[in-house]
Amino acid sequence: MGGPGINRSLQFTRYLHSMGYEIHILTVTLKDIEEGVYPSDPTLLNDLPEGVKIHRVPSRRPERFRKAMIRVKLFRIFWYLLYPLFWEPAARWPGACLPVAKKLIKEEKIPLIYTSSGPFAAARLGYLLRKSTPVKWVCDLRDPFTDAYFFSWPSKLHWYWCRRQERKWYNRADKLVVCTPAMERLYRKRNLVPDDHMTVITNGYG
């Protein structure tokens, strides 16, 4: 991923590395990145500190099925009926990642995980790991989810489903990091998480 938000994640990685922490990055495959569903900048890999370990798991994105349904003009029906499969391109990735992440946490004795969203499937993975392992979880949001102008839903019912998932995920996080004071005010107004669980780290800090 590119952009100022991911640079914040990169800075965070450098900071932890400078403090002597061993960093493991769990992400999608290079093939997924090359297909370009999400904007990417491969040169950012050169900016990672030496010794950072990268683990890749396929996104399991049902791209062929989606394109076939678009061709025969049936995608909207399947989008409505099978929404958990299509709510975002990486919707199935947390399920594929979960056993890999659990194994890493156990073998490497990882005490803390840090997710950066969107994609919001990363937040779902953080929720599943926080629920099923002893790790602490920092959930970093570069964008809002159900309050975002760029997200679309097949119906209001599906939006409510995502709204409920959002509250459930974020309440499991030990710390919710947002990138603007406006986003913090929005979430405080919604009582999304306890006040002491949220903090602001703007893009381009330090």
Side-chain angles (χ1 to χ4, degrees):
M1 297 271 174
I6 201 65
N7 285 331
R8 182 173 78 250
S9 301
L10 182 59
Q11 288 174 328
F12 183 69
T13 300
R14 288 171 175 165
Y15 172 75
L16 289 179
H17 187 268
S18 71
M19 297 290 289
Y21 290 97
E22 183 177 340
I23 310 295
H24 293 262
I25 296 176
L26 185 59
T27 186
V28 297
T29 63
L30 291 173
K31 180 182 178 182
D32 287 313
I33 295 171
E34 289 165 1
E35 287 177 354
V37 171
Y38 295 110
S40 61
D41 182 357
T43 64
L44 289 175
L45 289 172
N46 300 327
D47 295 330
L48 286 174
E50 187 176 348
V52 170
K53 299 175 183 177
I54 301 177
H55 312 269
R56 298 186 182 275
V57 177
S59 69
R60 297 176 59 192
R61 184 171 67 244
E63 194 64 15
R64 287 185 180 177
F65 178 77
R66 187 185 71 85
K67 288 180 178 178
M69 292 303 99
I70 290 173
R71 277 198 303 272
V72 297
K73 303 187 185 305
L74 290 175
F75 176 71
R76 193 163 187 88
I77 295 173
F78 283 94
W79 187 34
Y80 188 95
L81 296 176
L82 301 175
Y83 187 67
L85 187 66
F86 296 110
W87 69 271
E88 76 168 356
R92 298 174 68 201
W93 186 69
C97 275
L98 194 59
V100 177
K102 284 184 173 180
K103 184 178 179 182
L104 275 173
I105 289 168
K106 183 177 180 180
E107 292 180 351
E108 303 293 337
K109 297 179 173 57
I110 294 172
L112 181 139
I113 56 173
Y114 171 94
T115 63
S116 186
S117 297
F120 297 96
R124 180 170 181 263
L125 176 62
Y127 163 79
L128 294 172
L129 289 171
R130 184 66 181 91
K131 185 179 177 182
S132 59
T133 70
V135 296
K136 299 293 184 182
W137 173 33
V138 176
C139 179
D140 176 39
L141 299 175
R142 304 193 306 276
D143 299 292
F145 178 20
T146 60
D147 295 288
Y149 66 88
F150 56 83
F151 232 85
S152 60
W153 291 266
S155 73
K156 194 74 170 180
L157 180 65
H158 295 85
W159 178 81
Y160 278 121
W161 179 80
C162 285
R163 195 84 158 173
R164 187 171 181 178
Q165 296 303 305
E166 177 183 46
R167 182 173 293 274
K168 181 172 71 172
W169 299 342
Y170 298 167
N171 267 282
R172 181 68 73 162
D174 295 279
K175 183 66 71 172
L176 190 69
V177 179
V178 296
C179 63
T180 67
M183 196 169 165
E184 180 188 33
R185 289 193 298 271
L186 172 66
Y187 284 175
R188 290 197 191 284
K189 185 177 180 181
R190 286 181 54 195
N191 294 314
L192 194 62
V193 296
D195 284 355
D196 61 347
H197 281 207
M198 184 161 48
T199 191
V200 178
I201 300 179
T202 58
N203 292 338
Y205 79 96

